[in-house]
Every structure is written in C-alpha cells, then in structure tokens.
C-alpha cells in the first residue's frame, strides 16, 4: 500500500493532524457528491448513524465504532467520479450506465488509500455493494468473504435507500423496508446484520435517525450543506430544527404555505 507522505510545508504538524485535515476535506467532498443529487441529501449522515447503532448492538468496540461511522460517511465518496447525468437520471439505467455506477467503491478506495486515519474504513467502503449470495460488486464476494464492515453498511445503506424519496418512486415505509431486509436474509444480506438491525429498530435506536419526512415534505436547505434539514409533518412555526451535518440551529417559519428554515442568530431569536 502506498504510504501517506506529508507535503514539506506541513511537516511542522503531526501526521495525525494532517490526516484529520484530509478527513475534513473528504467530508466536504462527500457533501458535494450529495449536493449533486438533492434526492440523496442527508443519506450518508443517516447511513453513518444507522451503521454505528447497528455496530453497537453487535458489541463492536469503540475503535470499530469510529471506523464504521467513517466508512459509512464516505461509502459513496467514489461517486465524485460519476457523471451528473447518471446520478440524476430518473429512469432505469442502461447496463453501460450501471457499469459506470459500479465503479464508485473502487474509486472510493483509491481516494482513501495512503491516509492512515482512514485505512480501517476502506474495507467497508469497498465492499458495501457486495451481496451475501455473491451477486454484488465489485468482486462478487460471497458470505463471510465480504468484510464485516461491508456487510453491515449494506444493510444500513439499503434501509435508507428504500425509505428515502426518489424521483422515480415513492419511499417505502419503515415497516416495508424492514420486511424487505427480513426476506432477503442470506440472499442479499448477512442474517446476523439484519437481525441486529431489526432488534435495534424495535428498541428505538434507529427510528430517530429517519430524517426524511412523511407526506413527502421536501428537505429544507442549510446554507452550507444544502438540503439536509427534514421537517416532521407535526412541526409548527417557531419550532427549532437543526442541520444534522453541521448542527446549525434553525427556526421554522412558513411563508405562503411553504416551510422555510431561518438561521438562529442569537438566543433572543429562539
């Protein structure tokens, strides 16, 4: 593996500090990827929260919890090399177009190689589209040949994709998505991962992360991170919401029947 080397002008800083700077830059790039398709806004954040909660239920230690959260945050980073027309296409992809999409785990691994702080995340990023029966990509790995991190992110990623709005289909309900996972155990997904996900859901550790709104209320925009702020249908004007990425606070207002999020400037405005 290619070693991460510090540019000469950064040698006064520790390698750990520089690696963290790279993580921050990659986080920005991940947000840029999401911003190219408004229907996926908030996806990586939600998947990271699902993944960490699921790993916690599996008893993973703190090091692995941090690692899986990072892997989930950057699992689609490789789509930065995917054409906009493919990311935004409303209809079915051709085989040639799908073959291009399938390169994003490979590109994600390439982008992260050589950054010591993220080496433990690469396996999950590279393998999150592998399938338990060997029908996934990029290598067609089967069962426990797939890194545990990849098997875990596959479940979290699928649940969020199913329950998120898309231009070509309505979102599934949580119950429908959970049933999909249950019926694909041992086929698409690792049975242990699915069972842990179902348990975590039943115990309420995942439901709070479902940020997309019922009733197809659009996501509101954070000035920095784009459309990441979800509004529950039960909210009222004056209620406080926040961007799940940067934690900036907003107050809900309604203008001509449309929700808007006003940034909180001071305590007096709350």
């Amino acid at each position: 593996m290619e070693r991460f080397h510090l540019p000469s002008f950064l040698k006064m800083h520790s390698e750990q500090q520089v690696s963290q700077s790279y993580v921050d830059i990659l986080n920005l790039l991940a947000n840029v990827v999401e911003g190219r398709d408004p229907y996926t806004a908030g996806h990586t954040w939600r998947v990271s929260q699902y993944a960490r909660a699921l790993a916690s239920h599996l008893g993973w230690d703190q090091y692995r919890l941090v690692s899986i959260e990072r892997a989930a945050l950057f699992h689609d980073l490789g789509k930065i090399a995917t054409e906009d027309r493919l990311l935004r296409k409303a209809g079915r992809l051709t085989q040639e177009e799908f073959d291009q999409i399938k390169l994003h785990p490979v590109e994600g691994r390439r982008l992260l190689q050589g950054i010591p702080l993220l080496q433990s995340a690469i396996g999950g990023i590279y393998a999150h589209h592998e399938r338990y029966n060997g029908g996934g990509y990029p290598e067609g790995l089967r069962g426990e040949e797939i890194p545990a991190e990849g098997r875990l992110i596959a479940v979290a990623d699928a649940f969020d994709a199913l329950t998120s709005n898309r231009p070509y289909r309505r979102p599934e309900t949580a119950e429908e998505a959970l049933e999909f996972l249950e019926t694909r155990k041992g086929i698409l997904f690792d049975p242990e991962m699915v069972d842990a996900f179902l348990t975590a859901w039943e115990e309420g550790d995942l439901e709070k992360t479902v940020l997309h709104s019922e009733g197809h209320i659009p996501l509101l925009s954070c000035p920095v991170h784009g459309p990441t702020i979800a509004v529950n249908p039960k909210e009222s004007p004056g209620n406080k919401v926040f961007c799940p990425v940067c934690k900036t606070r907003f107050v809900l207002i309604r203008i001509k029947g449309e929700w808007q999020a006003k940034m909180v400037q001071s305590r007096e405005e709350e």
Side-chain angles (χ1 to χ4, degrees), residues 72-113:
L73 277 172
F74 300 137
H75 75 279
D76 278 342
L77 183 64
K79 286 183 178 178
I80 199 164
T82 304
E83 296 177 58
D84 282 352
R85 67 179 181 86
L86 301 185
L87 295 179
R88 296 174 178 173
K89 186 173 180 178
R92 188 178 182 86
L93 295 173
T94 67
Q95 186 58 52
E96 181 181 357
E97 290 169 338
F98 185 51
D99 287 342
Q100 291 185 49
I101 291 284
K102 287 164 64 176
L103 293 174
H104 77 270
V106 179
E107 185 66 16
R109 181 177 68 172
R110 186 190 68 79
L111 288 169
L112 299 184
Q113 277 187 326

Side-chain angles (χ1 to χ4, degrees), residues 86-153:
L86 301 185
L87 295 179
R88 296 174 178 173
K89 186 173 180 178
R92 188 178 182 86
L93 295 173
T94 67
Q95 186 58 52
E96 181 181 357
E97 290 169 338
F98 185 51
D99 287 342
Q100 291 185 49
I101 291 284
K102 287 164 64 176
L103 293 174
H104 77 270
V106 179
E107 185 66 16
R109 181 177 68 172
R110 186 190 68 79
L111 288 169
L112 299 184
Q113 277 187 326
I115 303 176
L117 194 60
L118 294 176
Q119 292 309 294
S120 61
I122 289 178
I125 292 167
Y126 184 69
H128 74 278
H129 277 295
E130 299 288 358
R131 293 297 176 251
Y132 204 71
N133 64 359
Y137 60 87
E139 292 190 21
L141 301 177
R142 181 186 300 270
E144 294 191 5
E145 294 175 349
I146 307 167
E149 291 78 7
R151 285 180 271 139
L152 188 152
I153 294 174

Side-chain angles (χ1 to χ4, degrees), residues 28 33 40 42 98 115-116 124 141 148 181:
L28 174 62
V33 171
T40 62
F98 185 51
I115 303 176
L141 301 177
L181 296 178

Side-chain angles (χ1 to χ4, degrees), residues 27 30-31 34 40 42-56 60 64-76 121 125 149 152-161 197 205-206 208-211 244-245 247:
N27 191 40
N31 287 326
E34 283 200 347
T40 62
H43 170 70
T44 56
W45 183 86
R46 291 192 300 272
V47 173
S48 73
Q49 299 307 295
Y50 292 141
R52 186 179 177 109
L54 177 51
S56 181
W60 290 13
R64 292 189 80 187
L65 291 179
V66 172
S67 177
I68 195 65
E69 186 171 6
R70 285 175 175 161
L73 277 172
F74 300 137
H75 75 279
D76 278 342
I125 292 167
E149 291 78 7
L152 188 152
I153 294 174
V155 172
D157 188 34
F159 179 82
D160 190 69
F197 193 93
D205 292 341
L206 302 175
K208 60 190 176 186
T209 303
V210 182
L211 294 181
V245 181
K247 313 303 181 187

